Amino acid sequence: MAKADGDERTPSLYELMMDDIAQGVLAGGERLKVARLAERYGVSTSPVREVLRQLQGEGFVEFSPNRGATVREADAQTLIELFELLQLLEPYFVGWFVEVVQPEDLVALEAIQSRLERTPVIQRAGFGRVDTEFHGYMYERHHNRRALEVWRRQKRALNVFSLKLPIGAVREKAIMREHRELLDALGARDADAAAEVIGRHVAGSGAHMSQQLRRLGSTAS
């Protein structure tokens, strides 16, 4: 987990488990045995149960009579809801960022984008982490901390629920192209172009993931 400069705080059990879910260490559909988790994180079973209930409330964990706790897997409706929220939030943040962006910000974003282009899309957790870093760089300084926290939760949920969904070659090229178009719009301080690109970017990713989810469902049946 990334830490702010000078932050030596030990990650909480919630943060450790959430990171493991987001990176696929605790995979979708996997049964979460309390005793095994307690051993993994070096804690007693009581805090593990508390965190599992918290993750259930946030939609990352499900409880069933036969299997107990499991990591929730993606479904089409969940993805639709996530992308509807992101389509509202990301143009809002980008519209603010285009007004305050500095040359050093463009250099930093270019460096992150270069790392993204070197990260194979088949490494879904790693690719999603760098992609989140790219978007998060633009949003993290925004004054509306409540809106920012909503975005963080939706993006984290998206990364979790999309781990098993492959990114096709066509969509990969589109992601890279859209990021480059966004960088161009930011460099030109063109708010309208930036809003158009980020809206198209989020919508395109949502459509692709929904398509991949349907395809996997039809294959399984």
Side-chain angles (χ1 to χ4, degrees):
M1 172 174 294
K3 295 181 180 180
D5 292 343
D7 182 6
E8 299 300 328
R9 179 179 60 85
T10 301
S12 67
L13 177 60
Y14 168 85
E15 290 169 328
L16 292 171
M17 291 179 65
M18 193 65 246
D19 276 356
D20 280 348
I21 291 174
Q23 296 177 37
V25 177
L26 302 175
E30 180 177 344
R31 185 177 177 186
L32 300 173
K33 296 183 178 180
V34 173
R36 185 177 298 173
L37 290 171
E39 181 180 0
R40 173 180 175 81
Y41 299 113
V43 298
S44 67
T45 57
S46 294
V48 171
R49 290 192 178 92
E50 291 177 8
V51 171
L52 287 176
R53 291 297 181 188
Q54 183 177 352
L55 292 172
Q56 180 191 27
E58 294 178 1
F60 295 113
V61 166
E62 294 179 318
F63 282 84
S64 63
N66 297 326
R67 299 192 66 198
T70 56
V71 179
R72 184 180 174 188
E73 295 189 276
D75 59 72
Q77 184 59 36
T78 297
L79 287 178
I80 289 171
E81 292 172 358
L82 287 172
F83 277 106
E84 284 181 349
L85 281 170
L86 291 176
Q87 280 185 289
L88 292 173
L89 289 169
E90 300 223 15
Y92 166 68
F93 286 124
V94 167
W96 165 82
F97 187 70
V98 76
E99 300 295 333
V100 301
V101 65
Q102 299 297 313
E104 57 267 28
D105 294 321
L106 296 174
V107 172
L109 284 167
E110 176 64 39
I112 299 170
Q113 176 61 22
S114 294
R115 282 196 287 116
L116 185 66
E117 291 170 354
R118 296 194 302 269
T119 304
V121 292
I122 59 172
Q123 297 178 7
R124 291 293 284 111
F127 188 87
R129 188 161 54 248
V130 181
D131 179 69
T132 299
E133 185 181 350
F134 179 87
H135 288 258
Y137 183 93
M138 295 182 285
Y139 311 155
E140 289 292 342
R141 284 174 283 169
H142 196 275
H143 59 86
N144 191 329
R145 309 313 290 179
R146 289 181 183 273
L148 180 59
E149 183 58 30
V150 172
W151 175 81
R152 285 178 182 146
R153 287 179 180 272
Q154 306 318 305
K155 189 67 173 176
R156 184 170 57 191
L158 180 61
N159 287 343
V160 168
F161 295 138
S162 65
L163 275 176
K164 291 185 178 181
L165 302 178
I167 297 176
V170 173
R171 183 58 202 158
E172 179 186 5
K173 290 179 181 179
I175 290 170
M176 302 308 174
R177 183 179 64 251
E178 289 156 3
H179 278 203
R180 289 290 174 188
E181 290 175 359
L182 182 57
L183 287 171
D184 289 343
L186 291 172
R189 290 186 176 272
D190 189 334
D192 290 338
E196 188 278 328
V197 172
I198 197 66
R200 174 160 42 89
H201 179 65
V202 175
S205 293
H208 180 73
M209 287 190 183
S210 295
Q211 181 184 49
Q212 295 296 77
L213 190 62
R214 289 194 298 270
R215 185 174 298 168
L216 287 177
S218 63
T219 302
S221 60

